[in-house]
Amino acid sequence: MRDKFADVVYKIGKEDKRICALVADISPAGSMLKFREKFPSRFINCGVAEQAMIGIAAGMALRGMRPFCYTIATFSIFRPFEMVRVDLCYQNLPVTIIGMGAGVIYSTLGGTHHSMEDIAVASAIPNMTVLAPCDPDEMRLATEWCAKKSTGPVYMRLGKKGEPILTKNAKSKFEIGKLRFLTKGKDVAIISYGTMVSTAKEISENLEKKGISTSLISCHTIKPIDKKGLTKVMELHKKIVILEEHVPHGGLSSRVKEIALDNNFKGKIQCFTLKDKFIHFYGSHKELLEKHGISVKKILDKIK
C-alpha cells in the first residue's frame, strides 16, 4: 500500500503544483524518489524532526499548498501530537498525515514502532478526519480525495506493502464518510478497516461455507463515522462482528457500541481487538496478532 501511495501522490503532483510531500527520516524510494527528483522544491525530508515536519506543513498549507506528511505511524501522530492538534487541527488546515505501517505491522521493531492507539488519538482531535483504506484501490481513492476535496486535516492509516485487492467486486462504491459493502448477506455483519479487512474476508468465507450469510463491510472512514449506515446495518443483521488492529478503547468497536446503545440494538455484538496492554513478545506480524487473540482460528472459535 505504501508503494501505491507514492505512485498516487506522484501522479497527482504532476497535475497539481500545490501537492507537496514531507517525510521524516524515510529514505525515498520508487515513486517517492521520482517525486523528489521531479519536484525538489515540493519535497522536504525533515529528518528525525516530526514536530518540525508538521509545523512546516502547516505553514505551507497557509500559503495555499496541499501537503502530505509521510512517515511510520507511531512517529507521524504520537511524537508531534501537540503540533498536530494546534498547528493543523486548531486552524483546520488541509494537511494529510500518513501513518504508514500502522497497528503492530512493524512487529519485530518493538513497542516504539507499534501504533496501537492511533485511531483513538487522532479521532479525539476536533476537525480531524480519520481514514483507514483496506486495500490499494481504496487507498488511491482516499488519497485523491485528500488531495482534491478535503478542507481540513486528515489522518490516514496505511499498511506496509503486499496487501491484496479486496474491493474489485464491492457491492457499493467508495465514498468518504460512508460504509462500504464488499459483500451483502443477512445473518452476520462483519465490519473492519485497514489491513484487518483481509482477515475479516477469511472469516466471512469460513462462515459462508457453514451456511451463515454474511455482509463484509469496509469502514474506511472512522471519523466522521457513518451513523446512518451503521443504524441500517443493525436493522438488517442479527449479529455484528467488529475486527480492528487497535486497542479496545476509542476505536471502531467503541463507536459501534455507542450507536447500538443509542438505537436500542437487540442483537449481539462481538468485538475482536488488540489487547489493552503492551505485548513484550518478539515475532512476526502474524505472531503478534495471534498473541493478541485476533487470528482467524481464534475469532472463528469465539464466534461459534
Side-chain angles (χ1 to χ4, degrees), residues 164-201:
I165 299 295
L166 303 171
T167 58
K168 185 177 180 180
N169 299 309
K171 299 298 182 182
S172 53
K173 66 179 181 179
F174 178 91
E175 185 178 352
I176 297 294
K178 301 292 183 184
L179 295 177
R180 190 182 192 190
F181 281 82
L182 306 189
T183 64
K184 282 192 174 182
K186 59 183 181 181
D187 297 324
V188 179
I190 304 175
I191 310 174
S192 190
Y193 59 84
T195 57
M196 280 300 292
V197 175
S198 181
T199 301
K201 184 173 183 288

mmCIF file of all heavy atoms in Angstrom, residues 164-201:
data_model
loop_
_atom_site.group_PDB
_atom_site.id
_atom_site.type_symbol
_atom_site.label_atom_id
_atom_site.label_comp_id
_atom_site.label_asym_id
_atom_site.label_seq_id
_atom_site.Cartn_x
_atom_site.Cartn_y
_atom_site.Cartn_z
ATOM 1 N N PRO A 164 -3.477 -7.403 -0.596
ATOM 2 C CA PRO A 164 -4.256 -7.818 -1.764
ATOM 3 C C PRO A 164 -5.377 -6.839 -2.093
ATOM 4 O O PRO A 164 -5.794 -6.052 -1.236
ATOM 5 C CB PRO A 164 -4.840 -9.170 -1.317
ATOM 6 C CG PRO A 164 -4.978 -9.030 0.171
ATOM 7 C CD PRO A 164 -3.797 -8.208 0.605
ATOM 8 N N ILE A 165 -5.861 -6.893 -3.328
ATOM 9 C CA ILE A 165 -7.032 -6.114 -3.719
ATOM 10 C C ILE A 165 -8.272 -6.842 -3.213
ATOM 11 O O ILE A 165 -8.489 -8.012 -3.525
ATOM 12 C CB ILE A 165 -7.115 -5.960 -5.258
ATOM 13 C CG1 ILE A 165 -5.880 -5.225 -5.783
ATOM 14 C CG2 ILE A 165 -8.391 -5.220 -5.647
ATOM 15 C CD1 ILE A 165 -5.756 -3.797 -5.333
ATOM 16 N N LEU A 166 -9.075 -6.161 -2.412
ATOM 17 C CA LEU A 166 -10.256 -6.771 -1.792
ATOM 18 C C LEU A 166 -11.567 -6.190 -2.307
ATOM 19 O O LEU A 166 -12.634 -6.743 -2.050
ATOM 20 C CB LEU A 166 -10.198 -6.579 -0.269
ATOM 21 C CG LEU A 166 -8.960 -7.119 0.450
ATOM 22 C CD1 LEU A 166 -8.959 -6.663 1.903
ATOM 23 C CD2 LEU A 166 -8.904 -8.638 0.368
ATOM 24 N N THR A 167 -11.488 -5.086 -3.015
ATOM 25 C CA THR A 167 -12.707 -4.327 -3.343
ATOM 26 C C THR A 167 -13.102 -4.401 -4.811
ATOM 27 O O THR A 167 -13.978 -3.665 -5.257
ATOM 28 C CB THR A 167 -12.521 -2.847 -2.945
ATOM 29 O OG1 THR A 167 -11.373 -2.323 -3.633
ATOM 30 C CG2 THR A 167 -12.307 -2.711 -1.450
ATOM 31 N N LYS A 168 -12.488 -5.297 -5.568
ATOM 32 C CA LYS A 168 -12.742 -5.364 -7.016
ATOM 33 C C LYS A 168 -14.221 -5.557 -7.330
ATOM 34 O O LYS A 168 -14.758 -4.957 -8.258
ATOM 35 C CB LYS A 168 -11.911 -6.485 -7.636
ATOM 36 C CG LYS A 168 -12.008 -6.555 -9.148
ATOM 37 C CD LYS A 168 -11.111 -7.638 -9.711
ATOM 38 C CE LYS A 168 -11.211 -7.697 -11.235
ATOM 39 N NZ LYS A 168 -10.338 -8.750 -11.812
ATOM 40 N N ASN A 169 -14.887 -6.420 -6.554
ATOM 41 C CA ASN A 169 -16.303 -6.720 -6.802
ATOM 42 C C ASN A 169 -17.194 -6.189 -5.680
ATOM 43 O O ASN A 169 -18.220 -6.791 -5.346
ATOM 44 C CB ASN A 169 -16.497 -8.230 -6.965
ATOM 45 C CG ASN A 169 -15.718 -8.787 -8.150
ATOM 46 O OD1 ASN A 169 -15.807 -8.267 -9.259
ATOM 47 N ND2 ASN A 169 -14.937 -9.837 -7.908
ATOM 48 N N ALA A 170 -16.790 -5.060 -5.092
ATOM 49 C CA ALA A 170 -17.556 -4.484 -3.978
ATOM 50 C C ALA A 170 -18.988 -4.177 -4.403
ATOM 51 O O ALA A 170 -19.254 -3.790 -5.542
ATOM 52 C CB ALA A 170 -16.878 -3.213 -3.483
ATOM 53 N N LYS A 171 -19.906 -4.351 -3.451
ATOM 54 C CA LYS A 171 -21.326 -4.120 -3.727
ATOM 55 C C LYS A 171 -21.709 -2.644 -3.680
ATOM 56 O O LYS A 171 -22.784 -2.269 -4.141
ATOM 57 C CB LYS A 171 -22.182 -4.903 -2.715
ATOM 58 C CG LYS A 171 -21.982 -6.417 -2.773
ATOM 59 C CD LYS A 171 -22.375 -6.982 -4.132
ATOM 60 C CE LYS A 171 -22.218 -8.498 -4.167
ATOM 61 N NZ LYS A 171 -22.547 -9.047 -5.503
ATOM 62 N N SER A 172 -20.878 -1.825 -3.090
ATOM 63 C CA SER A 172 -21.157 -0.387 -3.053
ATOM 64 C C SER A 172 -19.884 0.384 -3.348
ATOM 65 O O SER A 172 -18.772 -0.133 -3.198
ATOM 66 C CB SER A 172 -21.751 0.026 -1.700
ATOM 67 O OG SER A 172 -20.935 -0.398 -0.623
ATOM 68 N N LYS A 173 -20.037 1.619 -3.776
ATOM 69 C CA LYS A 173 -18.887 2.423 -4.176
ATOM 70 C C LYS A 173 -18.189 3.036 -2.972
ATOM 71 O O LYS A 173 -18.738 3.087 -1.868
ATOM 72 C CB LYS A 173 -19.345 3.521 -5.138
ATOM 73 C CG LYS A 173 -20.262 4.559 -4.497
ATOM 74 C CD LYS A 173 -20.656 5.632 -5.498
ATOM 75 C CE LYS A 173 -21.550 6.696 -4.843
ATOM 76 N NZ LYS A 173 -21.921 7.765 -5.791
ATOM 77 N N PHE A 174 -16.977 3.514 -3.206
ATOM 78 C CA PHE A 174 -16.200 4.185 -2.171
ATOM 79 C C PHE A 174 -16.684 5.617 -2.039
ATOM 80 O O PHE A 174 -16.763 6.355 -3.020
ATOM 81 C CB PHE A 174 -14.716 4.169 -2.548
ATOM 82 C CG PHE A 174 -13.831 4.883 -1.567
ATOM 83 C CD1 PHE A 174 -13.257 4.187 -0.509
ATOM 84 C CD2 PHE A 174 -13.553 6.239 -1.701
ATOM 85 C CE1 PHE A 174 -12.427 4.843 0.405
ATOM 86 C CE2 PHE A 174 -12.736 6.896 -0.804
ATOM 87 C CZ PHE A 174 -12.171 6.195 0.249
ATOM 88 N N GLU A 175 -17.014 6.001 -0.815
ATOM 89 C CA GLU A 175 -17.441 7.370 -0.549
ATOM 90 C C GLU A 175 -17.016 7.742 0.868
ATOM 91 O O GLU A 175 -17.341 7.043 1.831
ATOM 92 C CB GLU A 175 -18.962 7.496 -0.694
ATOM 93 C CG GLU A 175 -19.482 8.904 -0.554
ATOM 94 C CD GLU A 175 -20.991 8.993 -0.755
ATOM 95 O OE1 GLU A 175 -21.618 7.991 -1.150
ATOM 96 O OE2 GLU A 175 -21.553 10.075 -0.496
ATOM 97 N N ILE A 176 -16.257 8.826 0.994
ATOM 98 C CA ILE A 176 -15.800 9.270 2.311
ATOM 99 C C ILE A 176 -16.996 9.493 3.224
ATOM 100 O O ILE A 176 -17.982 10.123 2.842
ATOM 101 C CB ILE A 176 -14.978 10.570 2.198
ATOM 102 C CG1 ILE A 176 -13.704 10.342 1.378
ATOM 103 C CG2 ILE A 176 -14.640 11.124 3.583
ATOM 104 C CD1 ILE A 176 -12.701 9.410 2.005
ATOM 105 N N GLY A 177 -16.908 8.945 4.444
ATOM 106 C CA GLY A 177 -17.982 9.111 5.415
ATOM 107 C C GLY A 177 -19.079 8.073 5.324
ATOM 108 O O GLY A 177 -20.057 8.136 6.072
ATOM 109 N N LYS A 178 -18.928 7.078 4.427
ATOM 110 C CA LYS A 178 -19.953 6.053 4.248
ATOM 111 C C LYS A 178 -19.350 4.654 4.377
ATOM 112 O O LYS A 178 -18.222 4.407 3.940
ATOM 113 C CB LYS A 178 -20.607 6.169 2.868
ATOM 114 C CG LYS A 178 -21.272 7.510 2.593
ATOM 115 C CD LYS A 178 -22.496 7.711 3.468
ATOM 116 C CE LYS A 178 -23.188 9.025 3.125
ATOM 117 N NZ LYS A 178 -24.340 9.283 4.032
ATOM 118 N N LEU A 179 -20.114 3.743 4.974
ATOM 119 C CA LEU A 179 -19.717 2.339 4.995
ATOM 120 C C LEU A 179 -19.690 1.805 3.568
ATOM 121 O O LEU A 179 -20.438 2.273 2.703
ATOM 122 C CB LEU A 179 -20.705 1.507 5.809
ATOM 123 C CG LEU A 179 -20.819 1.788 7.309
ATOM 124 C CD1 LEU A 179 -21.908 0.910 7.912
ATOM 125 C CD2 LEU A 179 -19.503 1.557 8.027
ATOM 126 N N ARG A 180 -18.849 0.826 3.330
ATOM 127 C CA ARG A 180 -18.782 0.218 2.002
ATOM 128 C C ARG A 180 -18.983 -1.291 2.102
ATOM 129 O O ARG A 180 -18.186 -1.994 2.720
ATOM 130 C CB ARG A 180 -17.443 0.515 1.346
ATOM 131 C CG ARG A 180 -17.400 0.111 -0.124
ATOM 132 C CD ARG A 180 -16.043 0.386 -0.732
ATOM 133 N NE ARG A 180 -16.093 0.272 -2.177
ATOM 134 C CZ ARG A 180 -15.023 0.265 -2.957
ATOM 135 N NH1 ARG A 180 -13.810 0.372 -2.422
ATOM 136 N NH2 ARG A 180 -15.145 0.149 -4.268
ATOM 137 N N PHE A 181 -20.054 -1.787 1.498
ATOM 138 C CA PHE A 181 -20.319 -3.220 1.482
ATOM 139 C C PHE A 181 -19.454 -3.887 0.414
ATOM 140 O O PHE A 181 -19.547 -3.559 -0.770
ATOM 141 C CB PHE A 181 -21.794 -3.489 1.177
ATOM 142 C CG PHE A 181 -22.715 -3.298 2.342
ATOM 143 C CD1 PHE A 181 -23.159 -2.032 2.683
ATOM 144 C CD2 PHE A 181 -23.124 -4.384 3.104
ATOM 145 C CE1 PHE A 181 -24.009 -1.849 3.763
ATOM 146 C CE2 PHE A 181 -23.975 -4.211 4.184
ATOM 147 C CZ PHE A 181 -24.419 -2.936 4.518
ATOM 148 N N LEU A 182 -18.634 -4.848 0.848
ATOM 149 C CA LEU A 182 -17.877 -5.645 -0.111
ATOM 150 C C LEU A 182 -18.697 -6.864 -0.525
ATOM 151 O O LEU A 182 -18.656 -7.290 -1.683
ATOM 152 C CB LEU A 182 -16.538 -6.082 0.490
ATOM 153 C CG LEU A 182 -15.657 -4.949 1.053
ATOM 154 C CD1 LEU A 182 -14.284 -5.478 1.420
ATOM 155 C CD2 LEU A 182 -15.540 -3.792 0.069
ATOM 156 N N THR A 183 -19.441 -7.425 0.421
ATOM 157 C CA THR A 183 -20.434 -8.462 0.139
ATOM 158 C C THR A 183 -21.676 -8.141 0.964
ATOM 159 O O THR A 183 -21.601 -7.400 1.952
ATOM 160 C CB THR A 183 -19.937 -9.875 0.510
ATOM 161 O OG1 THR A 183 -19.714 -9.946 1.940
ATOM 162 C CG2 THR A 183 -18.636 -10.215 -0.211
ATOM 163 N N LYS A 184 -22.813 -8.695 0.558
ATOM 164 C CA LYS A 184 -24.056 -8.447 1.297
ATOM 165 C C LYS A 184 -24.708 -9.771 1.669
ATOM 166 O O LYS A 184 -24.886 -10.654 0.828
ATOM 167 C CB LYS A 184 -25.021 -7.607 0.462
ATOM 168 C CG LYS A 184 -24.673 -6.131 0.441
ATOM 169 C CD LYS A 184 -25.796 -5.288 -0.140
ATOM 170 C CE LYS A 184 -25.486 -3.807 -0.010
ATOM 171 N NZ LYS A 184 -26.590 -2.956 -0.530
ATOM 172 N N GLY A 185 -25.041 -9.888 2.970
ATOM 173 C CA GLY A 185 -25.745 -11.055 3.481
ATOM 174 C C GLY A 185 -26.823 -10.619 4.448
ATOM 175 O O GLY A 185 -27.153 -9.437 4.521
ATOM 176 N N LYS A 186 -27.333 -11.570 5.233
ATOM 177 C CA LYS A 186 -28.457 -11.210 6.107
ATOM 178 C C LYS A 186 -28.294 -11.641 7.563
ATOM 179 O O LYS A 186 -29.036 -11.172 8.428
ATOM 180 C CB LYS A 186 -29.748 -11.832 5.558
ATOM 181 C CG LYS A 186 -29.696 -13.346 5.446
ATOM 182 C CD LYS A 186 -30.975 -13.895 4.820
ATOM 183 C CE LYS A 186 -30.911 -15.428 4.741
ATOM 184 N NZ LYS A 186 -32.119 -16.008 4.132
ATOM 185 N N ASP A 187 -27.340 -12.532 7.861
ATOM 186 C CA ASP A 187 -27.230 -13.039 9.233
ATOM 187 C C ASP A 187 -26.225 -12.245 10.076
ATOM 188 O O ASP A 187 -26.562 -11.719 11.130
ATOM 189 C CB ASP A 187 -26.829 -14.518 9.220
ATOM 190 C CG ASP A 187 -27.865 -15.406 8.565
ATOM 191 O OD1 ASP A 187 -29.064 -15.114 8.728
ATOM 192 O OD2 ASP A 187 -27.488 -16.379 7.890
ATOM 193 N N VAL A 188 -24.987 -12.186 9.596
ATOM 194 C CA VAL A 188 -23.892 -11.570 10.353
ATOM 195 C C VAL A 188 -23.250 -10.465 9.529
ATOM 196 O O VAL A 188 -22.945 -10.656 8.351
ATOM 197 C CB VAL A 188 -22.817 -12.613 10.730
ATOM 198 C CG1 VAL A 188 -21.679 -11.953 11.505
ATOM 199 C CG2 VAL A 188 -23.423 -13.748 11.545
ATOM 200 N N ALA A 189 -23.054 -9.306 10.152
ATOM 201 C CA ALA A 189 -22.304 -8.220 9.522
ATOM 202 C C ALA A 189 -20.915 -8.179 10.138
ATOM 203 O O ALA A 189 -20.769 -8.059 11.354
ATOM 204 C CB ALA A 189 -23.011 -6.883 9.733
ATOM 205 N N ILE A 190 -19.889 -8.313 9.307
ATOM 206 C CA ILE A 190 -18.508 -8.242 9.765
ATOM 207 C C ILE A 190 -17.947 -6.899 9.299
ATOM 208 O O ILE A 190 -17.859 -6.636 8.108
ATOM 209 C CB ILE A 190 -17.663 -9.398 9.201
ATOM 210 C CG1 ILE A 190 -18.300 -10.743 9.559
ATOM 211 C CG2 ILE A 190 -16.241 -9.330 9.746
ATOM 212 C CD1 ILE A 190 -17.608 -11.933 8.938
ATOM 213 N N ILE A 191 -17.594 -6.049 10.257
ATOM 214 C CA ILE A 191 -17.144 -4.699 9.950
ATOM 215 C C ILE A 191 -15.692 -4.538 10.385
ATOM 216 O O ILE A 191 -15.318 -4.892 11.507
ATOM 217 C CB ILE A 191 -18.012 -3.648 10.664
ATOM 218 C CG1 ILE A 191 -19.504 -3.916 10.427
ATOM 219 C CG2 ILE A 191 -17.655 -2.248 10.198
ATOM 220 C CD1 ILE A 191 -20.432 -3.007 11.215
ATOM 221 N N SER A 192 -14.871 -4.013 9.487
ATOM 222 C CA SER A 192 -13.465 -3.806 9.799
ATOM 223 C C SER A 192 -12.928 -2.653 8.975
ATOM 224 O O SER A 192 -13.668 -2.002 8.235
ATOM 225 C CB SER A 192 -12.671 -5.090 9.539
ATOM 226 O OG SER A 192 -11.351 -4.975 10.043
ATOM 227 N N TYR A 193 -11.639 -2.391 9.099
ATOM 228 C CA TYR A 193 -10.995 -1.331 8.327
ATOM 229 C C TYR A 193 -9.515 -1.662 8.165
ATOM 230 O O TYR A 193 -8.957 -2.506 8.871
ATOM 231 C CB TYR A 193 -11.177 0.031 8.995
ATOM 232 C CG TYR A 193 -10.621 0.130 10.403
ATOM 233 C CD1 TYR A 193 -9.278 0.402 10.637
ATOM 234 C CD2 TYR A 193 -11.443 -0.044 11.512
ATOM 235 C CE1 TYR A 193 -8.767 0.499 11.916
ATOM 236 C CE2 TYR A 193 -10.950 0.048 12.803
ATOM 237 C CZ TYR A 193 -9.610 0.324 12.996
ATOM 238 O OH TYR A 193 -9.113 0.408 14.280
ATOM 239 N N GLY A 194 -8.898 -0.993 7.211
ATOM 240 C CA GLY A 194 -7.459 -1.186 7.014
ATOM 241 C C GLY A 194 -7.098 -2.618 6.662
ATOM 242 O O GLY A 194 -7.881 -3.357 6.065
ATOM 243 N N THR A 195 -5.902 -3.020 7.071
ATOM 244 C CA THR A 195 -5.396 -4.334 6.697
ATOM 245 C C THR A 195 -6.177 -5.483 7.335
ATOM 246 O O THR A 195 -6.103 -6.619 6.862
ATOM 247 C CB THR A 195 -3.908 -4.463 7.075
ATOM 248 O OG1 THR A 195 -3.744 -4.215 8.476
ATOM 249 C CG2 THR A 195 -3.064 -3.461 6.290
ATOM 250 N N MET A 196 -6.940 -5.217 8.393
ATOM 251 C CA MET A 196 -7.706 -6.289 9.043
ATOM 252 C C MET A 196 -8.888 -6.756 8.200
ATOM 253 O O MET A 196 -9.473 -7.802 8.465
ATOM 254 C CB MET A 196 -8.221 -5.827 10.405
ATOM 255 C CG MET A 196 -7.187 -5.874 11.518
ATOM 256 S SD MET A 196 -6.511 -7.519 11.835
ATOM 257 C CE MET A 196 -7.938 -8.345 12.515
ATOM 258 N N VAL A 197 -9.250 -5.997 7.162
ATOM 259 C CA VAL A 197 -10.352 -6.423 6.302
ATOM 260 C C VAL A 197 -9.999 -7.728 5.598
ATOM 261 O O VAL A 197 -10.865 -8.552 5.307
ATOM 262 C CB VAL A 197 -10.719 -5.318 5.287
ATOM 263 C CG1 VAL A 197 -11.781 -5.803 4.297
ATOM 264 C CG2 VAL A 197 -11.244 -4.089 6.028
ATOM 265 N N SER A 198 -8.714 -7.946 5.343
ATOM 266 C CA SER A 198 -8.275 -9.210 4.748
ATOM 267 C C SER A 198 -8.600 -10.386 5.670
ATOM 268 O O SER A 198 -9.086 -11.433 5.232
ATOM 269 C CB SER A 198 -6.769 -9.164 4.474
ATOM 270 O OG SER A 198 -6.332 -10.358 3.878
ATOM 271 N N THR A 199 -8.348 -10.225 6.965
ATOM 272 C CA THR A 199 -8.710 -11.247 7.956
ATOM 273 C C THR A 199 -10.221 -11.404 8.030
ATOM 274 O O THR A 199 -10.745 -12.523 8.107
ATOM 275 C CB THR A 199 -8.156 -10.864 9.344
ATOM 276 O OG1 THR A 199 -6.739 -10.752 9.261
ATOM 277 C CG2 THR A 199 -8.529 -11.893 10.398
ATOM 278 N N ALA A 200 -10.931 -10.276 8.009
ATOM 279 C CA ALA A 200 -12.396 -10.308 8.044
ATOM 280 C C ALA A 200 -12.951 -11.075 6.845
ATOM 281 O O ALA A 200 -13.951 -11.804 6.960
ATOM 282 C CB ALA A 200 -12.944 -8.884 8.054
ATOM 283 N N LYS A 201 -12.312 -10.950 5.699
ATOM 284 C CA LYS A 201 -12.749 -11.660 4.498
ATOM 285 C C LYS A 201 -12.607 -13.172 4.686
ATOM 286 O O LYS A 201 -13.491 -13.948 4.306
ATOM 287 C CB LYS A 201 -11.927 -11.196 3.294
ATOM 288 C CG LYS A 201 -12.346 -11.803 1.958
ATOM 289 C CD LYS A 201 -11.575 -11.152 0.823
ATOM 290 C CE LYS A 201 -12.021 -11.675 -0.533
ATOM 291 N NZ LYS A 201 -11.575 -13.053 -0.784
#
